[in-house]
Amino acid sequence: MSEPVVVAHAMMTPQNIAYETERLIHEALYHRRPVYMAFPADLAEQPVLGAASPVSPSRSDPAALQRAAHAIIEALDASTAACLLPGILVARAGFSSLLQRLADGSGLPFASMAMDKGLLDEDQPAFIGMYDGAIMNESVGAFVEGCDLVLAVGALMSDFNTGAFTARLDPAK
Amino acid sequence: MSATAIEHVLNRLKDIGIDDVFGVPGDYSFSVCDAVLADPKLRWICCCNELNAGYAADGYARVKGAAALSTTYGVGELSATNAVAGSYAERLPIFHLVGIPRMSVQTARAIHASHPWRWRIRPLSAHERTGGGRPRHDDTPEYCL
């Protein structure tokens, strides 16, 4: 019943529980989504059989990461007007302070979309206002959409964040 | 002494920073509730209904990084579905612990109510949906639960 709203599920038995627990923890934390663990009433209080190690956390490929970083820096260098959209998924992953370092290091101005409000401290010169598609501050929207490069980091382009999909952000930029 | 199945899961949830379990007790999930209550490092946060418990877990996960939600199956988990779906959409790890009937009952499909508890959603065939050409009067969901 819950399949559409979870990223993984398992029926927990004494035989599989050590393995399934690690698998579901990994899936939940990697995808940042709910998981479903069913406990049959006659098995929940049975002793666990066997053991399992935590699943190794996923890692980026260093070479690919290097190439991606290089491409982003090149694009930034080539742009005349650029801005940052700090997104809520950064907070979900626990990297808000890293994003602040990116803002500080790059000197880019940033706007917050609705869900992202408060992710970076708004009490800093780099903050230019709220961006929510055609809703909210027109000058902020015009600036963001007029940039030739927008660095959206962990941004969720939901209806809430894009002013009911009125945001005009060119994916090529 | 080896941990029980539910104790094992709760121990691992504590490892990842979960100190509280939100939920509503129900038939089939008493072992989960009992294990939480017996654990001195966990708090059982009893809620008025499963949807509330789900929303509470959602909020907890935003702050703590992950959350645990305990309900019974069927009536319990379905009430929580809206909240779990919201957590899914907003990228929040919620561990939904669902107490379900014992294995022998599942195998015999001897469960009351319109829908025997099933593990997988199976789309009804066109024939089943139309009752062999006759209008169905029982339920409208396209998917058999």
Side-chain angles (χ1 to χ4, degrees):
Chain A
M1 297 184 214
S2 291
E3 272 182 42
V5 301
V6 296
V7 73
H9 63 262
M11 180 151 64
M12 315 300 258
T13 68
Q15 294 85 350
N16 73 16
I17 194 162
Y19 171 82
E20 291 288 43
T21 302
E22 300 311 323
R23 179 177 72 88
L24 260 49
I25 287 175
H26 174 74
E27 295 290 325
L29 297 183
Y30 178 73
H31 295 285
R32 317 305 295 185
R33 303 241 205 224
V35 294
Y36 180 104
M37 296 176 159
F39 293 89
D42 55 339
L43 301 182
E45 287 170 349
Q46 297 297 316
V48 175
L49 299 171
S53 312
V55 176
S56 305
S58 308
R59 298 241 176 272
S60 334
D61 171 67
L65 191 59
Q66 186 80 306
R67 284 197 300 277
H70 193 67
I72 291 169
I73 291 167
E74 272 191 352
L76 278 170
D77 283 342
S79 67
T80 50
C83 71
L84 176 66
L85 289 181
I88 189 66
L89 298 182
V90 172
R92 295 284 186 263
F95 293 137
S96 305
S97 55
L98 270 181
L99 196 57
Q100 181 63 57
R101 277 174 49 195
L102 173 66
D104 293 340
S106 63
L108 288 172
F110 71 89
S112 294
M113 294 191 287
M115 268 182 86
D116 315 322
K117 193 167 172 59
L119 180 68
L120 295 183
D121 189 350
E122 292 179 359
D123 203 13
Q124 59 184 303
F127 175 63
I128 61 168
M130 299 285 299
Y131 172 58
D132 200 13
I135 301 173
M136 290 201 190
N137 198 318
E138 271 186 42
S139 59
V140 176
F143 174 75
V144 172
E145 290 171 12
C147 282
D148 52 355
L149 186 74
V150 175
L151 199 58
V153 185
L156 197 60
M157 296 303 182
S158 63
D159 53 350
F160 189 45
N161 277 351
T162 61
F165 304 115
T166 56
R168 295 287 168 262
L169 289 170
D170 182 353
K173 298 198 288 186
Chain B
M1 198 176 72
S2 173
T4 65
I6 182 59
E7 284 169 355
H8 177 82
V9 170
L10 293 176
N11 286 339
R12 289 295 288 127
L13 295 184
K14 281 184 289 183
D15 287 343
I16 62 172
I18 292 173
D19 301 313
D20 309 86
V21 179
F22 298 91
V24 178
D27 290 346
Y28 311 110
S29 70
F30 293 136
S31 333
V32 178
C33 306
D34 286 347
V36 175
L37 286 168
D39 191 321
K41 297 215 173 83
L42 283 174
R43 267 193 314 186
W44 168 249
I45 313 286
C46 197
C47 301
C48 293
N49 65 62
E50 290 83 358
L51 182 59
N52 288 359
Y55 287 143
D58 180 294
Y60 189 92
R62 286 166 200 264
V63 175
K64 298 268 272 179
L69 169 65
S70 168
T71 68
T72 187
Y73 90 112
V75 294
E77 61 180 310
L78 285 172
S79 292
T81 301
N82 196 352
V84 176
S87 299
Y88 183 93
E90 302 227 346
R91 307 303 287 262
L92 292 158
I94 308 293
F95 292 86
H96 189 180
L97 314 175
V98 182
I100 67 176
R102 51 181 47 228
M103 298 304 292
S104 52
V105 171
Q106 290 181 47
T107 314
R109 301 229 197 273
I111 302 188
H112 160 69
S114 3
H115 303 292
W117 185 88
R118 284 181 215 257
W119 189 236
R120 304 197 71 78
I121 293 173
R122 177 179 67 84
L124 295 177
S125 68
H127 183 82
E128 285 176 274
R129 248 182 279 129
T130 58
R134 284 168 286 115
R136 287 178 67 90
H137 296 292
D138 44 12
D139 45 2
T140 51
E142 305 256 310
Y143 290 103
C144 183
L145 295 175

